[in-house]
Coordinates of all heavy atoms in Angstrom, one line a residue:
F124 N -6.0 2.6 -7.6 CA -4.9 2.0 -8.2 C -5.2 1.4 -9.6 O -6.2 0.7 -9.7 CB -4.4 0.8 -7.3 CG -3.8 1.3 -6.0 CD1 -4.5 1.4 -4.9 CD2 -2.5 1.7 -5.9 CE1 -4.0 1.9 -3.7 CE2 -1.9 2.1 -4.8 CZ -2.6 2.2 -3.7
P125 N -4.5 1.6 -10.6 CA -4.8 1.1 -11.9 C -4.7 -0.4 -11.9 O -3.9 -1.0 -11.2 CB -3.7 1.7 -12.8 CG -2.7 2.3 -11.9 CD -3.3 2.4 -10.5
V126 N -5.6 -1.0 -12.7 CA -5.6 -2.5 -12.8 C -4.4 -3.0 -13.6 O -4.0 -4.1 -13.5 CB -6.9 -2.9 -13.5 CG1 -7.0 -4.4 -13.7 CG2 -8.1 -2.4 -12.7
T127 N -3.8 -2.2 -14.4 CA -2.8 -2.6 -15.3 C -1.4 -2.5 -14.7 O -0.4 -2.1 -15.4 CB -2.8 -1.8 -16.6 OG1 -2.7 -0.5 -16.3 CG2 -4.1 -2.1 -17.4
I128 N -1.2 -2.9 -13.5 CA 0.1 -2.9 -12.9 C 1.0 -4.0 -13.5 O 0.6 -5.1 -13.5 CB 0.0 -3.0 -11.4 CG1 -0.7 -1.8 -10.8 CG2 1.4 -3.1 -10.7 CD1 -1.1 -2.0 -9.3
Q129 N 2.1 -3.6 -14.0 CA 3.0 -4.6 -14.7 C 3.8 -5.5 -13.8 O 4.0 -6.7 -14.1 CB 3.9 -3.9 -15.7 CG 3.2 -3.1 -16.7 CD 2.4 -3.9 -17.7 OE1 2.9 -5.0 -18.1 NE2 1.2 -3.5 -18.0
D130 N 4.2 -5.0 -12.7 CA 5.0 -5.8 -11.8 C 4.1 -6.7 -10.9 O 3.2 -6.3 -10.2 CB 5.8 -4.9 -10.8 CG 6.7 -5.7 -9.9 OD1 7.8 -6.1 -10.4 OD2 6.3 -5.9 -8.8
P131 N 4.3 -8.1 -11.0 CA 3.3 -9.0 -10.3 C 3.4 -8.9 -8.8 O 2.4 -9.0 -8.1 CB 3.8 -10.4 -10.8 CG 5.2 -10.2 -11.3 CD 5.3 -8.8 -11.8
I132 N 4.6 -8.6 -8.2 CA 4.7 -8.4 -6.8 C 4.0 -7.2 -6.3 O 3.3 -7.2 -5.3 CB 6.2 -8.5 -6.4 CG1 6.8 -9.8 -6.7 CG2 6.3 -8.1 -4.9 CD1 8.3 -9.9 -6.5
L133 N 4.2 -6.0 -7.0 CA 3.5 -4.8 -6.7 C 2.0 -5.0 -6.8 O 1.2 -4.6 -6.0 CB 4.0 -3.7 -7.6 CG 3.3 -2.3 -7.3 CD1 3.5 -1.9 -5.9 CD2 3.8 -1.3 -8.3
S134 N 1.6 -5.7 -7.9 CA 0.2 -5.9 -8.1 C -0.4 -6.8 -7.0 O -1.5 -6.5 -6.5 CB 0.0 -6.7 -9.4 OG -1.4 -7.0 -9.6
R135 N 0.3 -7.8 -6.5 CA -0.2 -8.6 -5.4 C -0.2 -7.8 -4.1 O -1.2 -7.9 -3.3 CB 0.8 -9.8 -5.2 CG 0.3 -10.7 -4.1 CD 1.2 -12.0 -4.0 NE 2.6 -11.7 -3.9 CZ 3.6 -12.2 -4.6 NH1 3.3 -13.1 -5.5 NH2 4.8 -11.9 -4.4
R136 N 0.7 -6.9 -3.9 CA 0.7 -6.0 -2.7 C -0.5 -5.1 -2.7 O -1.1 -4.9 -1.6 CB 2.0 -5.2 -2.7 CG 2.2 -4.5 -1.4 CD 2.6 -5.5 -0.3 NE 2.8 -4.7 1.0 CZ 2.1 -5.0 2.1 NH1 1.3 -6.0 2.1 NH2 2.3 -4.3 3.1
I137 N -0.8 -4.5 -3.8 CA -2.0 -3.6 -3.9 C -3.2 -4.4 -3.7 O -4.1 -4.0 -3.0 CB -2.0 -2.9 -5.3 CG1 -0.8 -2.1 -5.5 CG2 -3.3 -2.1 -5.4 CD1 -0.5 -1.1 -4.4
S138 N -3.3 -5.6 -4.2 CA -4.5 -6.5 -4.0 C -4.6 -6.8 -2.5 O -5.7 -6.8 -2.0 CB -4.3 -7.8 -4.8 OG -4.5 -7.5 -6.2
N139 N -3.5 -7.0 -1.8 CA -3.5 -7.3 -0.4 C -4.1 -6.1 0.4 O -4.9 -6.2 1.3 CB -2.2 -7.7 0.1 CG -1.7 -9.0 -0.3 OD1 -2.5 -9.9 -0.7 ND2 -0.4 -9.3 -0.2
H140 N -3.6 -4.9 0.0 CA -4.1 -3.6 0.6 C -5.7 -3.5 0.4 O -6.4 -3.2 1.3 CB -3.4 -2.4 0.1 CG -2.1 -2.2 0.6 ND1 -1.8 -2.2 2.0 CD2 -0.9 -1.8 0.0 CE1 -0.5 -2.0 2.1 NE2 0.0 -1.7 1.0
K141 N -6.1 -3.8 -0.8 CA -7.5 -3.7 -1.1 C -8.3 -4.7 -0.3 O -9.4 -4.4 0.3 CB -7.8 -3.9 -2.6 CG -7.4 -2.7 -3.4 CD -7.7 -3.0 -4.9 CE -7.4 -1.8 -5.7 NZ -7.8 -2.0 -7.2
N142 N -7.8 -5.9 -0.2 CA -8.6 -7.0 0.5 C -8.6 -6.6 2.0 O -9.6 -6.8 2.7 CB -7.9 -8.3 0.3 CG -8.2 -8.9 -1.1 OD1 -9.2 -8.6 -1.7 ND2 -7.3 -9.7 -1.6
D143 N -7.5 -6.2 2.6 CA -7.4 -5.8 4.0 C -8.4 -4.7 4.2 O -9.1 -4.7 5.3 CB -6.0 -5.4 4.4 CG -5.0 -6.5 4.5 OD1 -5.5 -7.7 4.4 OD2 -3.8 -6.2 4.5
Y144 N -8.5 -3.7 3.4 CA -9.4 -2.5 3.5 C -10.9 -3.0 3.5 O -11.6 -2.7 4.4 CB -9.2 -1.6 2.3 CG -10.2 -0.5 2.3 CD1 -10.1 0.7 3.1 CD2 -11.3 -0.5 1.4 CE1 -11.0 1.7 3.1 CE2 -12.2 0.5 1.4 CZ -12.1 1.6 2.2 OH -13.0 2.6 2.1
N145 N -11.2 -3.9 2.6 CA -12.5 -4.5 2.5 C -12.9 -5.3 3.7 O -14.0 -5.2 4.3 CB -12.7 -5.3 1.2 CG -12.7 -4.4 0.0 OD1 -13.1 -3.3 0.0 ND2 -12.3 -5.0 -1.1
Q146 N -12.0 -6.1 4.2 CA -12.2 -6.9 5.5 C -12.4 -5.9 6.6 O -13.3 -6.2 7.5 CB -11.0 -7.8 5.7 CG -11.0 -9.0 4.8 CD -9.8 -9.9 5.0 OE1 -9.2 -9.8 6.1 NE2 -9.6 -10.8 4.2
F147 N -11.6 -4.9 6.7 CA -11.8 -3.9 7.8 C -13.2 -3.2 7.8 O -13.8 -3.1 8.8 CB -10.7 -2.9 7.8 CG -10.8 -1.9 8.9 CD1 -10.3 -2.2 10.2 CD2 -11.4 -0.6 8.7 CE1 -10.4 -1.3 11.2 CE2 -11.5 0.3 9.8 CZ -11.0 0.0 11.0
Q148 N -13.5 -2.8 6.6 CA -14.8 -2.2 6.4 C -16.0 -3.1 6.8 O -17.0 -2.6 7.3 CB -15.0 -1.8 4.9 CG -14.1 -0.7 4.5 CD -14.4 0.6 5.2 OE1 -13.8 0.8 6.2 NE2 -15.2 1.5 4.6
R149 N -15.8 -4.4 6.6 CA -16.9 -5.4 7.0 C -16.7 -5.8 8.5 O -17.5 -6.7 8.9 CB -16.8 -6.6 6.1 CG -17.3 -6.3 4.7 CD -17.4 -7.6 3.9 NE -16.6 -7.3 2.7 CZ -15.6 -8.1 2.3 NH1 -15.2 -9.1 3.0 NH2 -15.0 -7.8 1.2
G150 N -15.7 -5.3 9.2 CA -15.6 -5.7 10.6 C -14.8 -7.0 10.8 O -14.8 -7.4 11.9
H151 N -14.2 -7.5 9.8 CA -13.5 -8.7 9.9 C -12.0 -8.6 10.3 O -11.3 -9.6 10.4 CB -13.6 -9.6 8.6 CG -15.0 -9.9 8.3 ND1 -15.8 -10.7 9.1 CD2 -15.8 -9.6 7.3 CE1 -17.0 -10.8 8.5 NE2 -17.0 -10.1 7.5
K152 N -11.5 -7.4 10.3 CA -10.1 -7.1 10.5 C -10.0 -5.9 11.4 O -10.6 -4.9 11.2 CB -9.4 -6.8 9.2 CG -7.9 -6.8 9.3 CD -7.3 -6.7 7.9 CE -5.8 -6.6 7.9 NZ -5.1 -7.9 8.2
R153 N -9.1 -6.0 12.4 CA -9.0 -5.0 13.4 C -7.9 -4.0 13.1 O -8.0 -2.8 13.5 CB -8.8 -5.6 14.8 CG -10.0 -6.3 15.3 CD -9.7 -7.0 16.6 NE -10.8 -7.9 17.0 CZ -11.5 -7.7 18.1 NH1 -11.3 -6.7 18.9 NH2 -12.5 -8.5 18.3
T154 N -6.9 -4.4 12.5 CA -5.8 -3.5 12.2 C -6.1 -2.7 10.9 O -6.9 -3.2 10.1 CB -4.5 -4.2 12.0 OG1 -4.6 -5.2 10.9 CG2 -4.1 -4.9 13.3
R155 N -5.5 -1.5 10.8 CA -5.8 -0.7 9.6 C -4.5 0.1 9.3 O -3.6 0.3 10.1 CB -7.0 0.2 9.9 CG -6.8 1.3 10.9 CD -8.1 2.0 11.2 NE -8.7 2.7 10.1 CZ -8.5 4.0 9.8 NH1 -7.7 4.7 10.6 NH2 -9.0 4.5 8.8
L156 N -4.5 0.6 8.1 CA -3.5 1.6 7.6 C -4.2 2.9 7.5 O -4.7 3.3 6.5 CB -3.0 1.1 6.2 CG -2.4 -0.3 6.1 CD1 -2.2 -0.7 4.7 CD2 -1.2 -0.4 7.0
P157 N -4.1 3.7 8.6 CA -4.9 4.9 8.6 C -4.7 5.9 7.5 O -5.6 6.5 6.9 CB -4.6 5.5 10.0 CG -3.4 4.9 10.5 CD -3.3 3.5 9.8
G158 N -3.5 6.2 7.1 CA -3.2 7.1 6.1 C -3.8 6.7 4.8 O -4.4 7.4 4.0
L159 N -3.5 5.4 4.4 CA -4.0 4.9 3.1 C -5.5 4.8 3.1 O -6.2 5.3 2.2 CB -3.4 3.6 2.8 CG -3.9 2.8 1.6 CD1 -3.7 3.7 0.3 CD2 -3.3 1.5 1.4
W160 N -6.1 4.2 4.2 CA -7.5 3.9 4.1 C -8.3 5.2 4.3 O -9.4 5.3 3.7 CB -7.9 2.9 5.2 CG -7.3 1.6 4.9 CD1 -6.6 1.3 3.7 CD2 -7.3 0.4 5.7 NE1 -6.2 0.0 3.8 CE2 -6.6 -0.6 4.9 CE3 -7.9 0.1 6.9 CZ2 -6.5 -1.9 5.4 CZ3 -7.7 -1.2 7.4 CH2 -7.0 -2.2 6.6
D161 N -7.8 6.2 5.0 CA -8.5 7.5 5.1 C -8.5 8.2 3.7 O -9.5 8.8 3.3 CB -7.9 8.4 6.1 CG -8.1 8.0 7.5 OD1 -9.0 7.1 7.8 OD2 -7.4 8.5 8.5
S162 N -7.4 8.0 3.0 CA -7.3 8.6 1.7 C -8.3 7.8 0.7 O -8.9 8.5 -0.1 CB -5.9 8.5 1.2 OG -5.7 9.1 0.0
V163 N -8.3 6.5 0.8 CA -9.3 5.7 0.0 C -10.7 6.1 0.3 O -11.5 6.3 -0.6 CB -9.0 4.2 0.2 CG1 -10.2 3.4 -0.5 CG2 -7.7 3.8 -0.3
D164 N -11.0 6.3 1.5 CA -12.4 6.8 1.9 C -12.7 8.1 1.3 O -13.8 8.4 0.8 CB -12.5 6.9 3.4 CG -12.6 5.6 4.1 OD1 -12.9 4.6 3.5 OD2 -12.4 5.6 5.4
K165 N -11.7 9.0 1.2 CA -11.9 10.4 0.7 C -11.9 10.4 -0.8 O -12.8 11.0 -1.4 CB -10.9 11.3 1.3 CG -11.1 12.7 0.9 CD -10.0 13.6 1.6 CE -10.3 15.1 1.3 NZ -9.3 15.9 2.1
F166 N -11.0 9.7 -1.5 CA -10.8 9.8 -2.9 C -11.2 8.5 -3.7 O -11.3 8.6 -4.9 CB -9.4 10.1 -3.2 CG -8.9 11.4 -2.6 CD1 -7.9 11.4 -1.6 CD2 -9.5 12.6 -3.0 CE1 -7.5 12.6 -1.0 CE2 -9.0 13.8 -2.4 CZ -8.1 13.8 -1.4
G167 N -11.3 7.4 -3.1 CA -11.6 6.1 -3.8 C -10.3 5.5 -4.3 O -9.3 6.2 -4.5
W168 N -10.4 4.2 -4.5 CA -9.2 3.5 -5.1 C -8.8 4.0 -6.4 O -7.6 4.0 -6.8 CB -9.5 2.0 -5.1 CG -9.4 1.3 -3.8 CD1 -10.5 0.8 -3.1 CD2 -8.3 1.0 -3.0 NE1 -10.1 0.2 -1.9 CE2 -8.7 0.3 -1.8 CE3 -6.9 1.3 -3.1 CZ2 -7.9 -0.1 -0.8 CZ3 -6.1 0.9 -2.1 CH2 -6.5 0.2 -1.0
C169 N -9.8 4.3 -7.3 CA -9.4 4.7 -8.7 C -8.7 6.0 -8.8 O -8.1 6.3 -9.8 CB -10.7 4.7 -9.5 SG -11.9 6.0 -9.0
N170 N -8.6 6.8 -7.7 CA -7.9 8.0 -7.7 C -6.5 7.9 -7.1 O -5.9 8.9 -6.6 CB -8.7 9.1 -7.1 CG -9.9 9.6 -7.9 OD1 -9.7 9.8 -9.1 ND2 -11.1 9.6 -7.4
H171 N -6.0 6.7 -6.9 CA -4.7 6.5 -6.3 C -3.8 5.8 -7.4 O -4.3 5.1 -8.3 CB -4.8 5.5 -5.1 CG -5.3 6.2 -3.9 ND1 -6.7 6.5 -3.8 CD2 -4.7 6.8 -2.9 CE1 -6.9 7.1 -2.6 NE2 -5.7 7.3 -2.0
T172 N -2.6 6.1 -7.3 CA -1.6 5.5 -8.3 C -0.5 4.8 -7.5 O 0.0 5.3 -6.5 CB -1.0 6.6 -9.2 OG1 -2.0 7.3 -9.8 CG2 0.0 6.0 -10.2
A173 N -0.2 3.6 -7.9 CA 0.9 2.9 -7.3 C 2.1 2.9 -8.3 O 2.0 2.7 -9.5 CB 0.6 1.5 -7.0
I174 N 3.3 3.2 -7.7 CA 4.5 3.2 -8.5 C 5.5 2.3 -7.9 O 5.6 2.2 -6.7 CB 5.1 4.6 -8.8 CG1 5.5 5.3 -7.5 CG2 4.1 5.5 -9.6 CD1 6.3 6.6 -7.6
L175 N 6.4 1.7 -8.7 CA 7.4 0.9 -8.2 C 8.6 1.7 -8.0 O 9.2 2.3 -8.9 CB 7.7 -0.2 -9.2 CG 8.8 -1.3 -8.8 CD1 8.3 -2.1 -7.6 CD2 9.1 -2.2 -9.9
I176 N 9.1 1.9 -6.7 CA 10.2 2.7 -6.4 C 11.5 2.0 -6.5 O 12.5 2.5 -6.9 CB 10.1 3.3 -4.9 CG1 8.8 4.2 -4.8 CG2 11.3 4.0 -4.5 CD1 8.5 4.6 -3.4
E177 N 11.5 0.7 -6.2 CA 12.7 -0.1 -6.2 C 12.4 -1.5 -6.7 O 11.4 -2.1 -6.2 CB 13.3 -0.2 -4.8 CG 14.5 -1.1 -4.7 CD 15.1 -1.1 -3.3 OE1 14.5 -0.5 -2.4 OE2 16.1 -1.8 -3.1
Q178 N 13.1 -2.0 -7.7 CA 13.0 -3.4 -8.1 C 13.9 -4.3 -7.2 O 15.1 -4.0 -7.2 CB 13.4 -3.6 -9.6 CG 13.2 -4.9 -10.1 CD 11.7 -5.3 -10.2 OE1 10.9 -4.5 -10.8 NE2 11.4 -6.5 -9.8
M179 N 13.3 -5.2 -6.5 CA 14.1 -6.0 -5.6 C 14.4 -7.4 -6.3 O 13.6 -7.9 -7.1 CB 13.4 -6.3 -4.3 CG 13.3 -5.0 -3.5 SD 12.4 -5.2 -1.9 CE 13.6 -6.2 -1.1
D180 N 15.6 -8.0 -6.0 CA 15.9 -9.2 -6.6 C 15.5 -10.4 -5.7 O 16.2 -11.5 -5.7 CB 17.5 -9.3 -6.7 CG 18.0 -8.3 -7.7 OD1 17.3 -7.9 -8.7 OD2 19.1 -7.8 -7.5
T181 N 14.4 -10.3 -5.0 CA 13.9 -11.4 -4.2 C 12.4 -11.4 -4.2 O 11.8 -10.4 -4.4 CB 14.4 -11.2 -2.7 OG1 13.9 -12.3 -1.9 CG2 14.0 -9.9 -2.1
D182 N 11.8 -12.6 -3.9 CA 10.4 -12.7 -3.8 C 10.0 -12.8 -2.3 O 8.9 -13.1 -2.0 CB 9.9 -13.9 -4.5 CG 9.9 -13.7 -6.0 OD1 9.9 -12.6 -6.5 OD2 9.9 -14.7 -6.8
D183 N 11.0 -12.6 -1.4 CA 10.7 -12.7 0.0 C 9.8 -11.6 0.5 O 10.2 -10.4 0.5 CB 12.1 -12.7 0.8 CG 12.0 -12.9 2.2 OD1 11.0 -12.4 2.9 OD2 12.8 -13.5 2.8
R184 N 8.6 -12.0 0.9 CA 7.6 -11.0 1.3 C 8.0 -10.2 2.5 O 7.7 -9.0 2.5 CB 6.3 -11.7 1.6 CG 5.6 -12.2 0.3 CD 4.3 -12.8 0.7 NE 3.7 -13.4 -0.5 CZ 2.5 -13.9 -0.5 NH1 1.7 -14.0 0.5 NH2 2.0 -14.5 -1.6
D185 N 8.7 -10.8 3.4 CA 9.1 -10.1 4.6 C 10.1 -9.0 4.3 O 10.1 -7.9 4.8 CB 9.7 -11.1 5.7 CG 8.6 -11.9 6.3 OD1 7.5 -11.5 6.3 OD2 9.0 -13.0 6.8
K186 N 11.1 -9.3 3.4 CA 12.0 -8.3 3.0 C 11.4 -7.2 2.2 O 11.7 -6.0 2.4 CB 13.1 -9.0 2.1 CG 14.1 -9.8 2.9 CD 15.2 -10.4 2.0 CE 16.1 -11.3 2.8 NZ 17.1 -11.8 2.0
G187 N 10.4 -7.5 1.4 CA 9.7 -6.5 0.6 C 8.9 -5.6 1.6 O 8.9 -4.4 1.4
R188 N 8.2 -6.1 2.6 CA 7.5 -5.3 3.5 C 8.4 -4.5 4.4 O 8.1 -3.3 4.7 CB 6.6 -6.2 4.4 CG 5.4 -6.8 3.6 CD 4.5 -7.5 4.5 NE 3.3 -8.0 3.8 CZ 3.0 -9.3 3.7 NH1 3.6 -10.2 4.3 NH2 1.9 -9.6 3.0
E189 N 9.5 -5.0 4.7 CA 10.5 -4.2 5.5 C 11.0 -3.1 4.7 O 11.1 -1.9 5.2 CB 11.7 -5.1 5.9 CG 12.8 -4.4 6.6 CD 14.0 -5.3 6.9 OE1 13.7 -6.5 7.2 OE2 15.1 -4.9 6.9
R190 N 11.3 -3.3 3.4 CA 11.7 -2.2 2.5 C 10.6 -1.2 2.3 O 10.9 0.0 2.3 CB 12.2 -2.8 1.2 CG 13.0 -1.9 0.4 CD 14.4 -1.8 1.1 NE 15.2 -0.8 0.3 CZ 15.6 0.3 0.7 NH1 15.5 0.6 2.0 NH2 16.2 1.1 0.0
E191 N 9.4 -1.6 2.1 CA 8.3 -0.7 2.0 C 8.1 0.1 3.3 O 7.9 1.4 3.2 CB 7.0 -1.5 1.8 CG 5.7 -0.7 1.7 CD 4.5 -1.5 1.6 OE1 4.4 -2.7 2.0 OE2 3.5 -1.0 1.2
S192 N 8.3 -0.4 4.5 CA 8.2 0.3 5.7 C 9.3 1.4 5.8 O 9.1 2.5 6.3 CB 8.3 -0.6 6.9 OG 7.2 -1.4 6.9
Q193 N 10.5 1.0 5.3 CA 11.6 2.0 5.3 C 11.3 3.2 4.4 O 11.6 4.3 4.8 CB 12.9 1.3 4.8 CG 13.5 0.3 5.8 CD 14.6 -0.5 5.3 OE1 15.0 -0.4 4.1 NE2 15.2 -1.3 6.1
Y194 N 10.7 2.9 3.2 CA 10.4 4.0 2.4 C 9.3 4.9 3.0 O 9.4 6.1 3.0 CB 9.9 3.5 1.0 CG 11.0 3.2 0.1 CD1 11.3 1.9 -0.3 CD2 11.8 4.3 -0.5 CE1 12.4 1.7 -1.2 CE2 12.9 4.0 -1.3 CZ 13.1 2.7 -1.7 OH 14.2 2.4 -2.5
I195 N 8.3 4.3 3.6 CA 7.2 5.0 4.2 C 7.8 5.9 5.3 O 7.5 7.1 5.4 CB 6.1 4.1 4.8 CG1 5.4 3.5 3.6 CG2 5.2 4.9 5.7 CD1 4.5 2.3 4.0
Q196 N 8.7 5.4 6.2 CA 9.3 6.1 7.3 C 10.1 7.3 6.7 O 10.1 8.4 7.2 CB 10.2 5.2 8.1 CG 9.4 4.2 9.0 CD 8.4 5.0 9.9 OE1 8.8 5.9 10.5 NE2 7.2 4.4 10.0
Q197 N 10.9 7.0 5.6 CA 11.7 8.1 5.0 C 10.8 9.3 4.6 O 11.1 10.4 4.8 CB 12.5 7.6 3.9 CG 13.7 6.7 4.3 CD 14.3 6.1 3.0 OE1 14.0 6.3 1.9 NE2 15.3 5.3 3.3
Y198 N 9.7 9.0 3.9 CA 8.8 10.0 3.5 C 8.2 10.7 4.6 O 8.0 11.9 4.6 CB 7.8 9.4 2.5 CG 8.3 9.2 1.1 CD1 8.8 8.1 0.7 CD2 8.2 10.3 0.2 CE1 9.3 7.9 -0.6 CE2 8.6 10.1 -1.1 CZ 9.2 8.9 -1.5 OH 9.7 8.7 -2.8
M199 N 7.8 10.0 5.6 CA 7.1 10.6 6.8 C 8.1 11.5 7.5 O 7.7 12.6 7.9 CB 6.7 9.5 7.8 CG 5.4 8.8 7.3 SD 4.9 7.4 8.3 CE 4.4 8.3 9.8
Q200 N 9.4 11.1 7.6 CA 10.4 12.0 8.2 C 10.6 13.3 7.5 O 10.9 14.3 8.0 CB 11.7 11.3 8.4 CG 11.7 10.2 9.4 CD 13.0 9.4 9.5 OE1 13.8 9.5 8.6 NE2 13.1 8.5 10.4
K201 N 10.4 13.3 6.2 CA 10.5 14.5 5.3 C 9.2 15.2 5.3 O 9.1 16.3 4.7 CB 10.9 14.0 3.9 CG 12.2 13.5 3.8 CD 12.6 13.0 2.4 CE 13.9 12.4 2.3 NZ 14.2 12.0 0.9
G202 N 8.2 14.7 6.0 CA 6.9 15.4 6.0 C 6.1 15.2 4.7 O 5.2 16.0 4.4
I203 N 6.4 14.2 4.0 CA 5.7 13.9 2.7 C 4.7 12.8 2.9 O 5.1 11.7 3.3 CB 6.7 13.6 1.6 CG1 7.7 14.7 1.4 CG2 6.0 13.2 0.3 CD1 8.8 14.3 0.5
S204 N 3.5 13.0 2.6 CA 2.4 11.9 2.7 C 2.4 11.2 1.4 O 2.4 11.8 0.3 CB 1.1 12.5 3.1 OG 0.1 11.5 3.0
L205 N 2.3 9.9 1.5 CA 2.1 9.1 0.3 C 0.7 8.9 -0.1 O 0.3 8.3 -1.1 CB 2.7 7.7 0.5 CG 4.2 7.7 0.8 CD1 4.7 6.3 1.1 CD2 5.1 8.3 -0.3
N206 N -0.2 9.5 0.7 CA -1.6 9.3 0.5 C -2.4 10.6 0.3 O -3.5 10.8 0.7 CB -2.3 8.6 1.6 CG -1.6 7.2 1.8 OD1 -1.6 6.4 0.9 ND2 -1.0 7.0 3.0
V207 N -1.8 11.6 -0.4 CA -2.4 12.9 -0.6 C -2.7 13.0 -2.1 O -1.7 12.8 -2.9 CB -1.5 14.0 -0.1 CG1 -2.2 15.4 -0.6 CG2 -1.4 14.0 1.4
K208 N -3.9 13.3 -2.5 CA -4.2 13.5 -3.9 C -3.5 14.8 -4.4 O -3.7 15.8 -3.8 CB -5.7 13.6 -4.1 CG -6.1 13.6 -5.6 CD -7.6 13.4 -5.7 CE -7.9 13.2 -7.1 NZ -9.0 13.9 -7.7
A209 N -2.8 14.6 -5.5 CA -2.1 15.8 -6.1 C -3.1 16.6 -6.9 O -4.0 16.2 -7.3 CB -1.0 15.3 -7.0

């Protein structure tokens, strides 16, 4: 993921993913995001790109995560992986 993410909420979300990944790798976290973390293991963080799909008018983290989950489910239903290197 590039360091120069302009959207502060997206940047914070990516940082959370990285921190969770690092904690899992050290054995401090039990839950994981298998698609993302398997892809990070294979390609590294620097070979991933984050894009903002929708600008939301709220800073509510729960609403943002719910919307993120909806997008992930929509892509999965179409058979599109968000974690495949192009």
Side-chain angles (χ1 to χ4, degrees):
F124 290 94
V126 177
T127 57
I128 297 173
Q129 298 297 317
D130 184 81
I132 295 171
L133 179 59
S134 179
R135 183 174 54 227
R136 189 73 181 124
I137 299 308
S138 291
N139 289 342
H140 281 316
K141 287 181 176 182
N142 288 333
D143 289 347
Y144 172 81
N145 290 333
Q146 287 180 10
F147 180 82
Q148 293 295 88
R149 287 187 235 123
H151 300 296
K152 189 170 180 78
R153 292 176 188 243
T154 58
R155 66 187 301 264
L156 303 171
L159 175 59
W160 294 355
D161 290 347
S162 184
V163 169
D164 287 340
K165 186 172 183 179
F166 302 112
W168 284 108
C169 63
N170 288 311
H171 286 79
T172 303
I174 60 169
L175 184 64
I176 296 173
E177 175 183 2
Q178 183 70 46
M179 296 180 64
D180 294 330
T181 181
D182 287 337
D183 186 320
R184 288 182 185 186
D185 290 334
K186 287 182 183 179
R188 286 187 178 123
E189 179 182 322
R190 200 70 185 117
E191 179 183 19
S192 293
Q193 290 172 355
Y194 277 110
I195 291 169
Q196 290 300 317
Q197 287 174 0
Y198 279 91
M199 287 176 66
Q200 288 174 355
K201 293 177 183 179
I203 301 170
S204 174
L205 300 176
N206 300 301
V207 174
K208 187 172 188 221

